[in-house]
Amino acid sequence: MLKADVLVLGAGIVGVAAALQIQARGREVVLVDRRGAGEETSFGNAGIIERASVFPYPFPRDLQKLAVYAVNGANEAHYRLADLPAFAPWLARYWWESAPERAEKHALAVLPLIENCLSEHEKLMAEAGALALLRKTGWLKLFRSEESFAAGRAAADKIVPFGLKTAFYAAGELRKLEPSLHGGVGAVHYLDPASISDPLALTQSYERLFEQRGGRFLRGDAKTFRPASAGYGVETEQGPLLAREAVICLGPWSDVVTAPLGYAVPMAVKRGYHMHYAAQEGAALGHPVLDADNGFLLAPMARGIRLTTGAEFAGRDTPPDYGQLDASETMARKLFPLAGRLDAEPWMGCRPCLPDMLPIIGPAPNHKGLWFDFGHQHHGLTLSAISGRLLAEMMTGATPFADPTPFRLDRF
Ligand SMILES: Cc1cc2nc3c(=O)[nH]c(=O)nc-3n(C[C@H](O)[C@H](O)[C@H](O)COP(=O)(O)OP(=O)(O)OC[C@H]3O[C@@H](n4cnc5c(N)ncnc54)[C@H](O)[C@@H]3O)c2cc1C
């Protein structure tokens, strides 16, 4: 029988970062996943470490926007009609949690994590020899009308009291910064965030560091996870493993463990797609650019220009629908001289979302030694390193650097 102090189940960016942080505090840790590290949701994101995302992604409350969403007319948020009945109660809760006073409370709860998200990643990246993946250039939010640009500037002004920096560019200034972009009346430059040129390579570099420091990474299926008399067990390709404590970092699949243990976790997924493109000769992109009014993002990546889509409200396991990606591509080709597609098939991932826009980080209410670290929605890359630290501090009896109460599962 294989033994460890701690079993971390799920080797996405959240699980790998948690494993490193727990290991750094003296525990013998084993990571278990059915796939390679970082090959699911953490593979395909837009690569932004969102240091400036003080306010999460609330459900819109503006009636005009709601009317557009209702008829599936917005490219940034689609829903799959057949899945709507299953989603409706979750959406209602998300809407309720997005009321301005509640959304602000949630934003303040996660603020200490946002404030430390980049510095915590930088520490891990330095140790993993991965700093070459990091670009501290911020990102651009581009607007198509004077009206939306004014609203975008007003939204950006709200983060300045938090010590964050922004710059506003009219069309001519934007063109100087990004000469290959065509279109847009102006942009907000969020200067504090950073981005990663290859999110998979980052997770893999953290996983290598974990193994160099004596950690083990084993293949196994979370469906075999079970409480045992002296901890928690799981079947791995190397045989059964028993650990005194376990951490669930299964992202959108966390219900594989929580449901059989009797925890009703109100999680839904916002699906997203990506495709890589070559740039036409002479064209280049220096920053991630969100086309705010059209709801897609272009990010320069090691593999090419990565186009990522907004949210698709659909079941985790229902077949992909590439309509949102195709519509985004048509608009993106007018914004930037994209050449051919570089991937055989579009990629799809599922952002694991709780209705109050906060992750679950902390102890399982009814199982001693069982911990949760999942549900990081649009910010799993951003918050992974710092969530792992908060969790590791709780697990090892250190004083947590931030109040962990808002992230407990029993808040629901
Ligand atoms: C289009 C898109 C763009 C995004 N852009 C950004 C961004 O710019 N910045 C940002 O911070 N976030 C972004 N995100 C969100 C971010 O990607 C996620 O929040 C994050 O990847 C979640 O990480 P995770 O480790 O929790 O989940 P995952 O990466 O999905 O990891 C879960 C792991 O569990 C494993 N697993 C599942 N089932 C089992 C099983 N039965 N047995 C064993 N193992 C199992 C999987 O193999 C996987 O490795 C984006 C997401 C999308 C979809």
Side-chain angles (χ1 to χ4, degrees), residues 9-15 32-50 220-223 249-253 256 270-274 308-310 347 349-352 373-383:
L9 205 43
I13 188 70
V14 171
V32 174
D33 200 297
R34 63 181 172 187
R35 298 191 60 178
E39 291 182 359
E40 287 282 359
T41 327
S42 303
F43 173 86
N45 57 52
I48 301 177
I49 301 184
E50 245 307 6
D221 193 333
K223 288 182 185 137
C249 300
L250 292 165
W253 295 275
V256 166
K270 293 187 199 171
R271 306 200 309 188
Y273 300 82
H274 89 211
T308 58
T309 64
W347 171 87
C350 297
R351 302 172 183 91
D373 185 5
F374 60 82
H376 290 77
Q377 44 124 7
H378 296 253
H379 288 145
L381 167 62
T382 302
L383 295 175

